Amino acid sequence: MIIEPRMRGFICLTSHPKGCEKNVLNQIDYVKSKGAIDGPKKVLVIGASTGFGLASRITSAFGSDAATIGVFFEKAPAEGKTASPGYYNSLAFEAAAGKAGLYAKSINGDAFSNEVKEQTIDLIKADLGQIDLVIYSLASPVRQHPVSGVLHRSVLKPIGDTFTDKTVDFHTGIVSDVTITPCSDEDIANTVEVMGGEDWAMWMDALLNAGVLADGAMTVAYSYIGPKVTEPVYRKGTIGMAKDHLEATAFKITDDLAKIGGKAFVSVNKALVTQASSAIPVIPLYISLLYKIMKAEGTHEGCIEQIQRLFSARLYTNGSIPVDEKGRIRIDDWEMNPEVQKEVAELWKGATTENLTAIGDLAGYKSDFLNLFGFGFDGVDYAAEANEMVEIPGLI
Ligand code: NAD
Ligand code: NA
């Protein structure tokens, strides 16, 4: 069928298999253009199908010749209905890995469940023996707890006070005030259950106990800090409490991994347009101002540039891994540059519907958003019939 973007709120209901393939191939080309990394050889990526997780899988495979197992939760195609983009991304990744002679298999299911953890361990035992890197890159609004069975829902709310500030509807370009009422204590606990570190620790515990972690194995999860303007809804809001928990969990996992000489890290990454971040109020306006400034400065990066730099300049340098005073890897260094932040803060004050296309990179935001779903790529014939029914061979 001919596939066009169909928007509903913060999501796009359709995705384009050829465009998603193009997105993956572009990222592979980028990683190859940067040269080989003396990196991991057997990698498990949890949250491997989009955003930072996909970029981690691509960087491992095409930067370091690694065998990869990817875990994700994506919708398969049905007659007349496209798959979710992460499905087509993973299909394209596996095809490219296969062509390059690299092992790649994927598991599509709920990573929070015991069952998917067991399936993953079985697959590692059968095919790879042991792994040397685990990337934890889940972003989800819900988690069913594997022990209690409770379905926890995360919320994006401020803590304590009502928050009012500007936001942009990036589809229409309209800048307006948004008011978000503060969360309840239960909201905080639920958000920590979903996006905190418990599931990461459960994964690492299961992998360690199964004997499928190589000596010196490393694990990395992703976090975000960001600017003052987003603090009430992000770092000091409910999601920030979950990120605090995730960051604290790294130390606990490092203690647990001591017997194999392993280590857990959190990497603080840059703000980027992903399915997860588009749904957070205020963040799209911040990102559109930030993009404008960083592009002008020549320091703008997407997920693949961020992760390629994380691997080559932080994790696998043959030296020690640089961390901040809280033990975190910082690859958000260019975003958090005080000069950049000063400029964003100034532009923020004056941002309106009328001037945003001039002072911000709304076009860049929109284009990145379409790209997430495989739309807007050069070299893809969107007027042509596309086969939405393509499937990932051997998907578990
Ligand atoms: P994303 O939405 O692009 O990717 C989420 C991944 O998780 C997908 O592969 C999805 O299939 C998978 N997933 C979701 N629920 C699942 C489940 N139940 N079982 C298995 N897989 C599941 O998100 P992203 O923006 O790449 O976020 C990844 C991490 O990076 C998050 O921790 C996020 O907070 C962090 N981060 C994001 C930004 C940003 O600006 N986007 C910045 C810094 C850090
Ligand atoms: Na991801």
Side-chain angles (χ1 to χ4, degrees), residues 47-54 137-138:
S49 52
T50 56
F52 285 110
L54 174 64
S137 186
L138 293 182

Side-chain angles (χ1 to χ4, degrees), residues 81-134:
K81 270 197 175 163
T82 64
S84 52
Y87 186 94
Y88 292 137
N89 290 341
S90 301
L91 170 66
F93 171 83
E94 287 200 16
K99 259 191 210 158
L102 297 167
Y103 172 98
K105 279 192 187 171
S106 305
I107 294 172
N108 189 18
D110 181 7
F112 296 128
S113 70
N114 291 332
E115 192 195 3
V116 164
K117 291 181 177 73
E118 282 158 21
Q119 285 175 330
T120 306
I121 287 167
D122 289 346
L123 184 61
I124 297 168
K125 281 184 178 165
D127 290 359
L128 301 179
Q130 290 187 320
I131 45 181
D132 49 24
L133 175 66
V134 180

Side-chain angles (χ1 to χ4, degrees), residues 200-214:
W200 183 26
M202 283 178 163
W203 265 102
M204 296 313 298
D205 196 46
L207 295 166
L208 182 66
N209 288 335
V212 296
L213 293 179

